Amino acid sequence: MRSVSAFAKVGISTLVAGAIGAVLAAWWLPDWLPPAAGIEADREDTLYLWLLVVSAVIFCTVVGFLGYSMWKFRARPGDMSDGAPIHGHTGLEIIWTVIPIIIVLGFAVAATIVLNKNESLKQGHMVVNVTGRQFAWSFTFPKRGHVHTGILALPAGRQVEFRLHAPDTDVIHSFKIPALRIGEDVVPGTPTTVDATPTRLGTYAIVCAELCGIGHSQMRNILVVMKPDDWNRWLAQQKKLAKAPPPSQSGNGTTDAAATFSSAGCSGCHTFKPANAAGTVGPDLDNLTADAAKYGKGETAEQYVRESIVDPDKVIVSGFQPGVMPTTFGTSLSSAQIDALVSYLLKGGG
Ligand code: CUA
């Protein structure tokens, strides 16, 4: 009986160690998930946290007993005898069957509840059509006059149903927004859907999570979660841009640059009066000449603007954050387009 009570002591101390380990794992490790920007993300993170806590307790308990047994029942020098013949222990077997069943069933129920909540569409939700093609995402708001946009802006607090599709001639992609904890395959010929409710203002990455060809890693876009008022303004502006006459192919390139400004999504994040852009995620481009003088050390204004488009994290205007603007414009725009954009921005703002 002495060894049983010793085992009980080990059991209790490993459970305590497990609990401490779980607390440390759950609250001590910083930023091990991307920011949670939606209601569904919070639910999933809570579920994941509990999985981690329970796993940490089980891990510490198992390793505790293992370590204790290795030390306690080790072979002494010169002892060549066999261990005691033990044929199972009914009590222990019941315990290590029943406890895992309870844990697994508990998590199955909790996960089902989270999944059901996350996948139930509420009345008045918004619909966004998402098209995935090699190698870009584009978005349409079918209930808002089919406005077509290159970047995805959404109002905070509103549930969104993403209807995903890819052209029949394209390949399979996967629409993934880590901050919203959603991801769903986009399959040519088979429409799929996924839902989310963004709540936290900010800029987040939209990525493709299915290897889809040579441009797969470039198939990124940005999600901007705005206050509802800002979003209404943004949408009105997108409508206005859509109605504007198509850019002419002739002339000095200024109209083409205006089209590039819109199609590349610049207007979603920057304020620029000549383009009726009023975004506040990035620096105000009406101040570009002044910013170039202040930040572009030893550079001409042209060099500074070009560098800010191609390598946006090199110089950060105070009050803004690195890592927000896509770093892919150097490859997704032609150098003629960039040249036109630079002169358009400087002329317009100067
Ligand atoms: Cu589309 Cu990878």
Side-chain angles (χ1 to χ4, degrees), residues 24-114:
L24 291 182
W27 283 281
W28 220 32
L29 293 176
D31 295 340
W32 60 295
L33 287 177
I39 292 173
E40 296 77 9
D42 289 335
R43 288 189 197 123
E44 284 176 35
D45 286 5
T46 306
L47 186 64
Y48 202 80
L49 183 71
W50 279 105
L51 265 171
L52 182 79
V53 166
V54 172
S55 305
V57 172
I58 293 172
F59 178 80
C60 291
T61 308
V62 170
V63 171
F65 274 112
L66 190 68
Y68 172 80
S69 304
M70 282 165 64
W71 169 75
K72 177 79 185 169
F73 303 111
R74 69 193 186 279
R76 303 302 196 278
D79 179 2
M80 299 302 282
S81 64
D82 280 342
I86 296 169
H87 291 279
H89 188 296
T90 312
L92 270 179
E93 284 185 27
I94 290 174
I95 290 172
W96 73 46
T97 307
V98 170
I99 292 178
I101 287 178
I102 293 172
I103 293 172
V104 170
L105 283 181
F107 275 114
V109 169
T112 307
I113 293 171
V114 168

Side-chain angles (χ1 to χ4, degrees), residues 320-349:
F320 297 92
Q321 283 180 6
V324 173
M325 178 159 157
T327 53
T328 49
F329 290 122
T331 46
S332 66
L333 298 178
S334 69
S335 78
Q337 276 177 312
I338 296 175
D339 288 343
L341 203 51
V342 169
S343 80
Y344 168 68
L345 288 170
L346 284 171
K347 255 185 238 161

Side-chain angles (χ1 to χ4, degrees), residues 147-169:
V147 177
H148 185 90
T149 65
I151 71 152
L152 178 60
L154 293 173
R158 187 99 182 267
Q159 191 186 33
V160 184
E161 180 190 8
F162 297 100
R163 295 188 183 157
L164 315 171
H165 103 115
D168 286 344
T169 51

Side-chain angles (χ1 to χ4, degrees), residues 133 135 137 171-174 208-213 215-217 219:
R133 52 163 58 90
F135 295 101
W137 298 109
V171 301
I172 300 177
H173 304 274
S174 178
C208 178
E210 182 87 54
L211 185 60
C212 56
H216 163 68
S217 65
M219 196 169 163

Side-chain angles (χ1 to χ4, degrees), residues 207-288:
V207 301
C208 178
E210 182 87 54
L211 185 60
C212 56
I214 195 152
H216 163 68
S217 65
Q218 307 285 315
M219 196 169 163
R220 298 172 73 92
N221 211 308
I222 51 171
L223 161 69
V224 186
V225 181
M226 304 176 168
K227 289 183 190 143
D229 285 351
D230 290 346
W231 183 76
N232 283 324
R233 233 171 287 138
W234 174 84
L235 197 74
Q237 191 194 315
Q238 297 296 317
K239 278 185 188 164
K240 210 190 293 172
L241 283 171
K243 281 195 202 109
S248 83
Q249 294 303 307
S250 58
N252 57 6
T254 304
T255 13
D256 292 341
T260 307
F261 188 83
S262 151
S263 65
C266 312
S267 52
C269 293
H270 294 282
T271 291
F272 188 54
K273 291 199 185 89
N276 285 323
T280 52
V281 175
D284 185 339
L285 302 180
D286 295 317
N287 304 331
L288 214 42

